[in-house]
Amino acid sequence: LKLQFLYFIDKRTRTLKLNKMPATGILYGHAFSQPCRSVQWYLDYSDNTAVERKVVDVLGGEQKAAEYVAKFPQHQVPGFEMEDGFCFAESLAVLKHVAQGDKTMTPGCPKEEARLNEYFGRHYSQVRKFSTEVIFAHLFAKDAEKTQAGLVVIKPQLESYNETLGKQNYLLGDKLTLADFLFAPEVDQLAWVGPETLAPYPNILKYLERLTSDVKGYKESFAGANTALGL
């Protein structure tokens, strides 16, 4: 990040604060990839036009090309290349990097920070792990039995978050956080299995509708994923 600053109004405290300039560099990704969507959506939400975006055709195997692997040995997306050529991957690392200095995404107290880190831990071991299994079984393996089995496995997680979202507007309260940028792209893709998939979770549906109408970039993010898959 360049060490330049600008002022912004903190809506929570109604005070004028300093904020770092947007991240710069190159984001490598694909609209179908849910981890990529998390980062791309945040960049759109925060009006970051300083980060260049390069499409990696993961459906065609481009992430395994020698040139890409030289930068990202685990052939993952999203990948991020900083201006000095330093490259790193993992969606949470990339998301936190591009959001660095965004005070609106900074937890307001140690308890908020603890809740956010708690979700980061759960995201990859529960939400993403299970949603990915469902989508790959449905879209690529075309295995209805595995798809339904996956929906059974993820059901307790969806029930828990459905209950949570019945009490508050966003995942961790009434304020949008980086947790939402990770969670929503994983959950909304379950609708690809069928419109009935999320029907048992009305609060999650209302949450996704709220993001669509109120949060910049989310609607375009989901539409981009559908377009990438030809849906």
Side-chain angles (χ1 to χ4, degrees):
L1 287 171
K2 293 181 178 180
L3 296 179
Q4 296 176 322
F5 298 86
L6 54 82
Y7 288 102
F8 83 107
I9 299 294
D10 187 327
K11 294 180 180 179
R12 291 177 296 173
T13 62
R14 297 184 180 277
T15 56
L16 190 66
K17 292 187 176 181
L18 286 172
N19 197 6
K20 289 185 179 180
M21 291 294 286
T24 58
I26 304 172
L27 174 68
Y28 297 84
H30 191 279
F32 159 67
S33 163
Q34 312 325 306
C36 292
R37 282 182 56 205
S38 294
V39 180
Q40 292 168 343
W41 170 25
Y42 175 78
L43 292 177
D44 291 339
Y45 169 80
S46 60
D47 292 319
N48 184 317
T49 58
V51 170
E52 180 183 353
R53 306 186 200 190
K54 289 190 176 181
V55 176
V56 179
D57 183 11
V58 295
L59 299 178
E62 189 179 356
Q63 75 277 20
K64 297 180 181 179
E67 182 180 355
Y68 190 79
V69 174
K71 294 178 183 288
F72 307 101
Q74 301 299 317
H75 47 83
Q76 295 169 284
V77 290
F80 196 90
E81 182 175 356
M82 298 174 70
E83 288 187 322
D84 62 359
F86 179 81
C87 297
F88 64 100
E90 291 294 346
S91 56
L92 180 56
V94 176
L95 182 60
K96 291 175 76 171
H97 174 73
V98 298
Q100 184 179 356
D102 182 348
K103 302 302 182 183
T104 67
M105 290 291 143
T106 302
C109 66
K111 290 180 180 179
E112 287 185 8
E113 184 173 11
R115 284 291 182 223
L116 184 61
N117 288 327
E118 179 182 52
Y119 178 75
F120 288 160
R122 288 178 175 172
H123 180 77
Y124 294 95
S125 64
Q126 299 177 358
V127 180
R128 170 151 180 76
K129 179 179 185 297
F130 300 143
S131 67
T132 299
E133 290 175 357
V134 170
I135 292 305
F136 273 76
H138 176 68
L139 290 180
F140 302 110
K142 307 293 184 183
D143 189 323
E145 186 174 339
K146 283 188 176 181
T147 299
Q148 292 305 313
L151 290 173
V152 170
V153 172
I154 200 175
K155 182 179 179 181
Q157 310 306 322
L158 295 178
E159 289 178 335
S160 175
Y161 289 115
N162 184 67
E163 181 178 355
T164 295
L165 289 167
K167 304 172 184 175
Q168 55 202 39
N169 287 333
Y170 299 107
L171 207 59
L172 300 184
D174 289 324
K175 172 181 174 289
L176 191 71
T177 68
L178 293 183
D180 297 288
F181 285 91
L182 292 172
F183 178 73
E186 293 296 340
V187 175
D188 63 17
Q189 65 177 335
L190 296 175
W192 293 336
V193 177
E196 74 286 349
T197 307
L198 291 175
Y201 315 105
N203 296 321
I204 290 179
L205 286 173
K206 291 177 183 177
Y207 163 76
L208 296 176
E209 291 171 359
R210 189 178 306 115
L211 294 178
T212 300
S213 62
D214 297 348
V215 181
K216 183 176 180 179
Y218 172 74
K219 179 180 179 180
E220 292 76 11
S221 169
F222 188 50
N226 280 276
T227 299
L229 290 172
L231 299 176

